[in-house]
């Protein structure tokens, strides 16, 4: 009976505490949580009652809900359209959304297309049918190189350490060519621009290495939504699955990658779990894409037989011990440590499972 009536739409800043509380209550009534990284909400009201909402977090639509009385109407289509218009005003045109697989059909009707689905847990969708294929075509056109053994590393490099450099050198020695992807989102102590420069400069001496900027198709844990997945462990597992299946199904075939290298993880349980997920989703699970062999390389250690880690470097920087931190990074990284600014920003752990 609502379909002939027209709701009003409103853009709400997520920093508005009262409005955020209203949205959170609406989502809770619909069995959903709320993600912290949302900058804006698009809400629909009918007779001043909130009947639908979606959140915008960068290039991702999250926390999408429609009141039970309005489901089956055109409201979801209009809601997503309003969100796309607002995102475009924000400068974001390539949009993603994560949802339950049961909702894929509804969002296809809104112009979104499925990229990866993980069982009955989650699906990742994009507002174009050609985005991932265009990206892979560009990779293939500019970076496809001859060789039977082609490998890859995905790293955050926050900052780039002697351990990262050792991993790249070791992997490159076992490959005809090695592709290194640097996670692009700025959820780390060092910006993406800084991290990319560190990795690029720290691996220039290795002739068979190409360093790539990460793309929207290499997902940061910091942007992965949890609003429809209640259990933290489930969120972590689904995040890993989607990220790894995107790599296996699209990126790896584009570059003929059949090997993925990663350092062992003695410290962080979250990253250790991600390493285990690599073996499952890249090696063991059935897929239309070829299997990718995962190689866990023992981490480089310091003079006291302690594995070199970016977290240790960040801790030393936080303590203003730049001299000790400098001993754990290559000369190309030291320039970033010594500029007198970067260590002041190293106040939190990164929000990604990539090293």
């Amino acid at each position: 009976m609502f379909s002939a009536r027209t709701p009003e739409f409103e853009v709400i800043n997520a920093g508005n505490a009262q409005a955020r509380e209203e949205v959170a209550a609406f989502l809770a009534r619909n069995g959903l949580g709320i993600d912290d990284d949302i900058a804006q909400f698009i809400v629909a009201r009918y007779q001043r009652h909130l009947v639908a909402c979606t959140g915008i977090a960068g290039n991702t639509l999250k926390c999408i809900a429609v009141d039970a009385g309005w489901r089956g109407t055109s409201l979801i289509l209009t809601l997503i359209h309003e969100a796309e218009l607002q995102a475009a005003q924000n400068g974001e045109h390539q949009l993603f959304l994560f949802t339950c697989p049961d909702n894929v059909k509804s969002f296809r009707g809104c112009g979104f297309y499925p990229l990866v689905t993980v069982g009955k847990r989650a699906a990742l969708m994009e507002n174009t049918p050609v985005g991932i294929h265009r990206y892979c075509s560009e990779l293939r056109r500019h970076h496809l190189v001859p060789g039977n053994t082609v490998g890859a590393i995905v790293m955050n490099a926050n900052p780039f350490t002697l351990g990262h450099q050792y991993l790249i050198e070791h992997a490159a020695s076992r490959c005809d060519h090695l592709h290194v992807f640097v996670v692009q989102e700025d959820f780390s102590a060092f910006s993406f621009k800084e991290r990319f420069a560190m990795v690029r400069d720290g691996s220039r001496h290795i002739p068979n290495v190409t360093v790539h900027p990460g793309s929207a198709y290499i997902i940061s844990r910091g942007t992965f939504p949890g609003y429809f997945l209640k259990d933290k462990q489930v969120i972590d597992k689904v995040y890993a699955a989607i990220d790894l299946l995107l790599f296996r199904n699209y990126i790896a075939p584009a570059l003929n990658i059949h090997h993925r290298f990663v350092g062992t993880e003695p410290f962080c349980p979250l990253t250790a779990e991600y390493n285990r997920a690599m073996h499952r989703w890249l090696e063991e699970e059935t897929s239309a894409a070829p299997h990718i062999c995962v190689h866990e390389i023992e981490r480089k250690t310091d003079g006291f037989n302690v594995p070199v880690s970016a977290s240790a470097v960040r801790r030393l920087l936080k303590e203003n011990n730049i001299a000790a931190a400098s001993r754990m990074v290559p000369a190309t990284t030291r320039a970033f440590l010594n500029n007198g600014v970067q260590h002041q920003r190293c106040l939190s752990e990164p929000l990604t499972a990539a090293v």
Side-chain angles (χ1 to χ4, degrees), residues 126-140:
E126 183 181 15
N127 67 338
T128 170
V130 299
I132 185 69
H133 303 292
R134 185 185 299 119
Y135 171 68
C136 290
S137 294
E138 287 298 308
L139 284 178
R140 191 179 297 110

Side-chain angles (χ1 to χ4, degrees), residues 7 26 30 43-46 49-53 65-68 70 75:
F26 175 76
N30 287 274
V43 302
R45 298 184 189 278
Y46 181 72
H49 293 289
L50 201 157
V51 295
C53 76
V66 176
D67 184 81
W70 288 79
L75 178 56

Side-chain angles (χ1 to χ4, degrees), residues 79-101:
L79 176 71
I80 297 301
H81 178 67
E82 293 289 333
E84 289 183 295
L85 290 176
Q86 182 59 47
Q89 287 188 34
N90 299 343
E92 299 287 356
H93 300 277
Q94 179 188 23
L95 297 179
F96 299 86
L97 65 81
F98 296 83
T99 187
C100 298

Side-chain angles (χ1 to χ4, degrees), residues 206-263:
I206 314 170
N208 62 330
V209 169
T210 300
V211 180
H212 301 267
S215 70
Y217 303 105
I218 295 178
I219 303 169
S220 165
R221 183 178 297 277
T223 61
F224 186 76
Y227 70 94
F228 63 93
L229 298 166
K230 303 296 189 297
D231 189 315
K232 177 66 166 60
Q233 290 186 335
V234 171
I235 294 172
D236 293 336
K237 290 180 184 298
V238 171
Y239 153 73
I242 286 180
D243 185 48
L244 293 168
L245 286 174
L246 277 173
F247 184 85
R248 178 178 174 179
N249 294 348
Y250 299 102
I251 297 172
L255 294 172
N256 197 31
I257 293 168
H258 288 92
H259 300 269
R260 176 98 173 238
F261 295 85
V262 65

Side-chain angles (χ1 to χ4, degrees), residues 23-24 27-28 30-35 38 62-64 226-230:
V23 171
L27 289 170
N30 287 274
L32 300 174
I34 188 169
D35 282 352
I38 292 174
K62 301 182 176 185
C63 300
I64 305 168
Y227 70 94
F228 63 93
L229 298 166
K230 303 296 189 297

